[in-house]
Amino acid sequence: MKFKIFSILGVALCGFLATTAAPVESEEPNELEPRFYPKSYIFDPLPKLTESSPTTRYYEFELKVKKLSPDGFERPVWSVNGQYPGPLIQANKGDRLVIKVINRLGDPATIHWHGIFQRGTNWYDGVPGQTQCPIPNRVSFTYNYTLEQSGTYWYHSHFLAQYVDGLLGPLIIQDPDDPYKNSYQEDYVVTISDWYHSPSAPLLVQRTAPHYTGFNPYPDAALISGRGQYNCSSPAAGKHCNPNVKPATYNVQKGKKYRFRIINTSAYTYFTFSIDNHPLQVIEVEGTPVKQANTSTVTVLPLHTAQRYSVILHANQPIGNYYIRANIIESCLAPRTNNTINYNSSINPNATGILHYIGADSYSKPTSTEYPVTFTLCRGIDSSAIRPYKPDPAPANITNSFVLNVTFAPNDDDVGLFKINNSTFEPIFNNPTNERIMLKEDYTGFEKTQNAYGYDVPYGGVEIILLNGGLANHPFHLHGHAFHLCGVGQGIDINNLTTRNLIDPVVRDTVIVPPQSHIIIRYVADNPGVWAFHCHIEWHVELGMVAQLIERPTEFSNRTLPDDVRALCMQYDSYYKKQKRSTAALPRGSMVKRIQIRKNGGESKKQIREEEAAGNGEEAVLNEGERYIETEENDIGTQANEEYLMSIW
Ligand code: C2O
Ligand code: CU
């Protein structure tokens, strides 16, 4: 049927293709059909798991670039199976996940399973240059690990800023013994996110350019569960903007109770989340069940990048429609100076969705009013609200203690970079740290830029004191563990730290470090491997705000790397060599395809020089201030990017 239409439209289509770039997916000749949203799983209650556990669950993730319009504005999205947010992974505690990733992005990729401990499987943690080599384009790789935790997690690409381009999704683990299991009838997932109309690669190029004095790229939209309402009549909207994206809508039945799992999948932004007229009882923070208390019911919930909460909502209000609100709090971002990338975006920072009572008129807009914010903005939820359900004291005896001081300074090329203890992290994609440890390399001799901190005492107590003397807040995330958040205090004087709560601190994996403040976290060294510890603001990651924790190298170095993980590095090396026609790359060794930035259309000076150089066998030389990224022609990722860039630059 499709082919018939295709041939009838053939002549017209050829004309269409001749004047525009090739379609993103040639096997789907539907480029002329209106692209409305396919029905998404995300607005349905989570399917009830019926299999007896433990079981093995198989998933196939095809990574591909697809044009989507989450907020109405069409752009290429780095997707899993063509969806944004990506497919739901749901399992029971104790299950094994086997996820085959088939990379057709045109870029290398990895997938990280945010919050999952990966005990015994550090090489499936998905961090390029730390736990594996990137999966090259047109290569598949299978992640395979067991779930010992339960709660609300997510997965996302950890390769450059690829998750900002859409490569992410929820990962939900049910626990048959969840203390709140019988406290609600249905279970919903909500993602909240900032969103950018430009692919991340050119944003990164600009963000990491010499002499750049602005702040992080300003987002274009706020999304709830992958949907937003961009102002299509704003001049920046262009011609491919759909003003009729249906707002995120969750259906409830009066009298029932619902669990909502809220995940902030942003690149950058701090959100407040609320549902008008409906207080939310917090029952889970990042995998840790929360004890019920007066304070654990909130009206407005703050979440920074990568943070998650589960709340229970009681649908006990008059039948009607109520706003679901996800507000980017702009005062928590760096100032919107006019030298900041995309500072003049037409963002509506206040995304709305709808809580729809079954029986209410679907077409009448909510008239509900917003709850006021009664806590300090830019900060986390009051820690007394989220005491762990089960007593879980922090380790009292510390065998290894680290002080990590975060600062910002320009390098010799006048690229402003973050430093941890005076060192900017630089990944070495083709020589992952964990493989080096397994080859018995001594981490104390690593390059300074590896930001490697090790500890070797089995089940020792680890304490990290993180000092942030700057003016920005940083949501710090630890891989391989959930940590006890023993304290958050003002100032960065190591002799004047806040009092530690060792008795019932919250246990989570992502914490907000406020400006000019410190945090103290503790955990037990019970998971040998290489674990990243980094700010989850993706722009800060690319500016080097990353440390690597080398946990129990003596034991870890005796483990055996699976053959397919080792093979990945060989595949990556040969891929990389083929790609390396030109040497310039994103700063600090990052390597993706070249994307020409065409300021005024046509060929740039760089491109012309490159063509000249290709003629005489030389490599093109970059002029000062010029940067580009390697390309592989005929790749859909490149085409999507180039097409996009040609339309906006
Ligand atoms: Cu959510 Cu290092 O990641
Ligand atoms: Cu940060």
Side-chain angles (χ1 to χ4, degrees):
M1 187 61 191
K2 266 182 175 169
F3 285 110
K4 212 169 176 187
I5 294 167
F6 195 62
S7 64
I8 293 166
L9 291 175
V11 177
L13 198 59
C14 282
F16 175 74
L17 291 180
T19 51
T20 63
V24 171
E25 292 175 289
S26 47
E27 72 279 13
E28 284 181 25
N30 63 350
E31 288 297 296
L32 297 181
E33 292 168 18
R35 273 178 288 260
F36 290 118
Y37 257 88
K39 188 171 159 32
S40 168
Y41 69 88
I42 207 165
F43 303 114
D44 296 328
L46 292 178
K48 309 271 187 227
L49 299 175
T50 50
E51 304 84 346
S52 62
S53 259
T55 189
T56 302
R57 295 172 191 273
Y58 298 89
Y59 290 83
E60 202 164 273
F61 276 17
E62 187 191 7
L63 312 185
K64 55 181 176 181
V65 178
K66 186 174 168 101
K67 284 186 182 172
L68 296 173
S69 324
D71 62 337
F73 183 94
E74 186 181 84
R75 58 155 285 179
V77 172
W78 273 243
S79 78
V80 179
N81 300 350
Q83 284 173 262
Y84 174 79
L88 167 73
I89 295 181
Q90 196 190 198
N92 279 315
K93 183 175 174 176
D95 288 354
R96 170 173 292 274
L97 293 179
V98 177
I99 302 149
K100 180 176 182 190
V101 176
I102 307 156
N103 183 3
R104 299 211 169 94
L105 290 171
D107 297 328
T110 64
I111 301 203
H112 167 60
W113 318 92
H114 182 116
I116 304 299
F117 292 163
Q118 300 290 2
R119 194 184 310 279
T121 50
N122 176 259
W123 39 80
Y124 293 133
D125 196 41
V127 188
Q130 297 183 51
T131 67
Q132 68 167 99
C133 284
I135 308 165
N137 186 37
R138 298 196 181 95
V139 168
S140 355
F141 179 72
T142 302
Y143 292 90
N144 180 340
Y145 52 90
T146 307
L147 302 167
E148 62 178 271
Q149 303 153 264
S150 64
T152 305
Y153 303 88
W154 58 304
Y155 62 84
H156 60 81
S157 169
H158 218 291
F159 182 76
L160 298 179
Q162 212 161 52
Y163 93 75
V164 183
D165 292 315
L167 219 171
L168 59 90
L171 197 177
I172 307 299
I173 312 167
Q174 303 286 355
D175 179 359
D177 301 319
D178 187 320
Y180 289 103
K181 204 177 147 220
N182 298 318
S183 306
Y184 56 90
Q185 281 86 47
E186 303 287 355
D187 198 340
Y188 280 125
V189 172
V190 177
T191 61
I192 57 178
S193 194
D194 53 19
W195 188 247
Y196 300 78
H197 289 168
S198 165
S200 64
L203 299 177
L204 270 184
V205 170
Q206 296 171 78
R207 180 71 182 92
T208 53
H211 318 303
Y212 178 68
T213 51
F215 296 100
N216 295 328
Y218 219 80
D220 290 293
L223 306 181
I224 298 179
S225 297
R227 295 198 187 181
Q229 284 71 40
Y230 188 66
N231 175 8
C232 287
S233 51
S234 94
K239 43 186 183 329
H240 295 294
C241 193
N242 169 13
N244 300 313
V245 177
K246 193 172 178 262
T249 303
Y250 288 85
N251 296 321
V252 294
Q253 200 150 36
K254 186 169 162 100
K256 281 195 179 178
K257 288 186 174 174
Y258 295 82
R259 179 177 190 156
F260 280 83
R261 299 167 184 268
I262 305 136
I263 309 171
N264 184 347
T265 64
S266 295
Y268 178 22
T269 55
Y270 171 98
F271 270 93
T272 58
F273 178 87
S274 61
I275 302 179
D276 293 351
N277 296 35
H278 293 80
L280 307 170
Q281 184 200 346
V282 179
I283 58 165
E284 177 217 341
V285 47
E286 296 163 11
T288 303
V290 165
K291 186 152 86 187
Q292 187 170 2
N294 290 340
T295 47
S296 63
T297 296
V298 302
T299 49
V300 182
L301 188 65
L303 299 93
H304 212 317
T305 298
Q307 293 192 311
R308 293 98 60 211
Y309 292 96
S310 279
V311 298
I312 293 178
L313 170 145
H314 191 181
N316 60 1
Q317 293 299 296
I319 288 177
N321 295 317
Y322 300 86
Y323 277 123
I324 300 173
R325 300 179 193 268
N327 296 346
I328 292 179
I329 306 301
E330 292 187 276
S331 61
C332 302
L333 307 184
R336 198 166 166 171
T337 52
N338 65 8
N339 52 359
T340 289
I341 302 155
N342 203 34
Y343 73 93
N344 57 354
S345 94
S346 305
I347 188 172
N348 171 6
N350 304 321
T352 49
I354 292 167
L355 184 78
H356 170 73
Y357 276 68
I358 293 164
D361 178 358
S362 311
Y363 296 95
S364 66
K365 275 198 174 178
T367 52
S368 57
T369 49
E370 191 167 3
Y371 283 117
V373 171
T374 53
F375 54 87
T376 311
L377 280 173
C378 320
R379 299 296 161 86
I381 189 169
D382 176 6
S383 62
S384 65
I386 46 173
R387 297 295 181 214
Y389 186 86
K390 284 198 204 115
D392 185 9
N397 298 321
I398 295 305
T399 53
N400 297 85
S401 161
F402 304 95
V403 177
L404 304 183
N405 187 14
V406 174
T407 53
F408 183 83
N411 70 4
D412 293 345
D413 298 326
D414 197 24
V415 178
L417 295 172
F418 282 104
K419 289 161 191 293
I420 292 181
N421 292 348
N422 225 10
S423 165
T424 299
F425 177 72
E426 293 182 18
I428 305 172
F429 284 160
N430 64 351
N431 195 16
T433 311
N434 62 352
E435 299 191 20
R436 295 173 75 176
I437 300 291
M438 294 170 107
L439 290 168
K440 316 269 183 210
E441 238 191 280
D442 177 1
Y443 71 86
T444 60
F446 281 178
E447 302 82 349
K448 186 161 191 274
T449 55
Q450 289 305 290
N451 288 3
Y453 296 86
Y455 42 91
D456 215 19
V457 182
Y459 303 98
V462 181
E463 178 171 272
I464 300 177
I465 300 165
L466 191 106
L467 310 175
N468 170 27
L471 295 173
N473 55 59
H474 302 290
F476 258 82
H477 168 49
L478 175 61
H479 288 216
H481 292 273
F483 49 75
H484 295 82
L485 178 57
C486 299
V488 179
Q490 279 189 354
I492 56 163
D493 177 358
I494 192 74
N495 297 313
N496 194 9
L497 297 172
T498 187
T499 324
R500 291 167 178 80
N501 172 6
L502 302 183
I503 297 173
D504 59 353
V506 60
V507 178
R508 65 187 313 166
D509 61 52
T510 310
V511 57
I512 302 176
V513 189
Q516 297 177 316
S517 297
H518 62 274
I519 59 155
I520 306 171
I521 66 170
R522 288 187 175 193
Y523 59 95
V524 176
D526 57 6
N527 194 6
V530 172
W531 306 113
F533 181 53
H534 63 90
C535 172
H536 215 287
I537 293 178
E538 183 51 34
W539 315 115
H540 291 177
V541 169
E542 299 307 326
L543 295 173
M545 203 190 293
V546 178
Q548 303 191 79
L549 300 166
I550 318 293
E551 183 160 330
R552 293 164 61 184
T554 303
E555 176 172 344
F556 186 69
S557 66
N558 289 324
R559 296 196 178 169
T560 315
L561 188 70
D563 287 342
D564 58 333
V565 183
R566 189 187 316 281
L568 203 48
C569 284
M570 296 189 282
Q571 289 167 299
Y572 181 72
D573 272 336
S574 70
Y575 169 89
Y576 184 80
K577 275 193 204 99
K578 262 190 266 154
Q579 297 300 298
K580 233 183 156 187
R581 287 172 302 165
S582 333
T583 48
L586 277 168
R588 305 183 301 102
S590 306
M591 206 280 305
V592 285
K593 300 164 292 91
R594 189 195 74 221
I595 297 159
Q596 281 293 347
I597 295 181
R598 299 164 205 246
K599 285 260 181 206
N600 305 307
E603 292 184 322
S604 69
K605 265 196 274 169
K606 172 72 198 74
Q607 192 181 12
I608 293 165
R609 270 203 323 288
E610 187 188 44
E611 280 161 9
E612 287 167 2
N616 60 24
E618 279 170 21
E619 273 195 340
V621 183
L622 282 178
N623 279 339
E624 165 132 26
E626 280 183 354
R627 277 161 191 278
Y628 69 104
I629 309 163
E630 290 185 314
T631 191
E632 182 183 0
E633 267 84 31
N634 306 321
D635 258 330
I636 52 173
T638 307
Q639 283 174 6
N641 251 327
E642 291 208 337
E643 186 185 348
Y644 175 78
L645 287 167
M646 286 177 69
S647 69
I648 60 160
W649 289 88

